[in-house]
């Protein structure tokens, strides 16, 4: 997190016109929020382990609490608390899913139903985002509800519950569609998502800084197709072996110095 924060402090500072000598490690709303929030989730794992026998009730209560958290007046980017509450239900849902639960799901006819529903949901999101869903997309970021237009705020709780259900359905549909065998390229990239996630952000900032983002028309099919192809090629570069070796060395550095 500290390395990531220092890295984006430079590129985000270039965009803002001033680079801070010392980043603000206590307030986070950019890409490093993910690592900061993960620290908190992992620290809570022992508590959720003790509650594992009531996991259905715990997840239901957590879902409601996460959906209601956006109304808290003090919720902000301090320690990325807005994201912490918004995404906690997904982390602990994954924590509570046992291998036998996953095996049972993948072997059942429900898998096909979930795949079809996820496909329809994905197509609906793609087709409706700009014409209908745009005012509500802040819910994806776990934003405090005060950032939404006033007419929308009373319905944000239901919107968050719908988003939780939709994101879970889409994730299950994607998981159900994955092959049971290793695919050399994609399996390798899937094991290196952290380095891709961390390194793409400063590149995106530089893309904006040099004015290249203005060349992309989000309503043009050719423009979007070109951007997707470029993103895929960038993923290949950022997921390459030498960078993976460097990240493994950094990840193991605390144990090596202990």
């Amino acid at each position: 997190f500290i390395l990531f924060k220092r890295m984006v402090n430079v590129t985000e500072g270039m965009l803002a016109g001033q680079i801070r000598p010392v980043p603000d490690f206590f307030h986070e709303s950019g890409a490093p929020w993910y690592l900061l929030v993960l620290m908190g989730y992992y620290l809570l794992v022992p508590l959720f382990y003790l509650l594992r026998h009531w996991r259905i009730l715990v997840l239901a209560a957590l879902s409601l609490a996460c959906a209601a958290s956006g109304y808290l007046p003090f919720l902000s980017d301090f320690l990325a608390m807005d994201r912490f509450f918004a995404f906690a239900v997904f982390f602990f849902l994954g924590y509570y899913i046992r291998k036998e639960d996953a095996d049972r799901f993948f072997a059942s006819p429900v898998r096909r139903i979930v795949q079809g529903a996820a496909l329809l949901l994905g197509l609906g999101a793609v087709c409706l985002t700009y014409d209908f869903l745009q005012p509500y997309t802040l819910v994806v970021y776990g934003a405090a509800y005060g950032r939404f237009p006033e007419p929308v705020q009373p319905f944000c709780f239901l919107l968050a519950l719908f988003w939780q259900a939709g994101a879970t359905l889409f994730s299950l549909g994607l998981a159900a569609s994955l092959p049971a065998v290793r695919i050399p390229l994609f399996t390798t990239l899937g094991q290196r998502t952290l380095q891709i996630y961390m390194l793409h952000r400063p590149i995106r900032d530089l893309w904006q800084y040099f004015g290249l983002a203005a060349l992309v028309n989000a309503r043009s099919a050719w423009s979007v197709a070109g951007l997707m192809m470029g993103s895929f090629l960038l993923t290949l570069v950022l997921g390459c072996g030498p960078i993976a070796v460097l990240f493994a060395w950094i990840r193991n550095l605390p144990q090596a110095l202990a």
Side-chain angles (χ1 to χ4, degrees), residues 31-178:
W33 75 264
Y34 175 68
L35 297 177
L36 181 60
V37 164
L38 275 183
M39 291 188 227
Y41 292 160
Y42 277 114
L43 289 172
L44 287 175
V45 162
L47 172 62
F48 280 82
Y49 174 77
L50 294 175
L51 300 173
R52 67 192 183 280
H53 299 301
W54 302 278
R55 57 181 181 156
I56 301 299
L57 292 176
V58 170
L59 287 172
L62 188 61
S63 173
L64 295 174
C66 288
S69 66
Y71 290 114
L72 297 175
F74 56 84
L75 199 66
S76 69
D77 62 356
F78 177 71
L79 296 180
M81 292 305 292
D82 50 353
R83 311 293 177 90
F84 179 90
F85 283 107
F87 293 96
V89 64
F90 299 113
F91 178 89
F92 290 105
L93 173 61
Y95 174 71
Y96 277 141
I97 291 178
R98 301 168 298 189
K99 183 179 184 302
E100 52 267 33
D101 298 327
D103 291 341
R104 193 179 306 116
F105 167 69
F106 292 133
S108 71
V110 176
R111 171 185 176 181
R112 300 300 181 190
I113 299 174
V114 170
Q115 282 178 309
L119 178 61
L120 291 175
L121 179 66
L123 290 174
V126 169
C127 296
L128 297 175
T129 292
Y130 285 104
D131 298 322
F132 178 70
L133 298 177
Q134 192 67 35
Y136 315 107
T137 51
L138 275 174
V139 72
V140 176
Y141 302 101
Y145 296 154
R147 293 174 58 188
F148 283 82
E150 280 194 29
V152 177
Q153 292 178 16
F155 307 102
C156 283
F157 177 79
L158 295 176
L159 183 63
L161 290 177
F162 177 80
W163 167 64
Q164 290 177 13
T168 302
L169 173 63
F170 192 80
S171 299
L172 288 174
L174 181 61
S177 303
L178 296 177

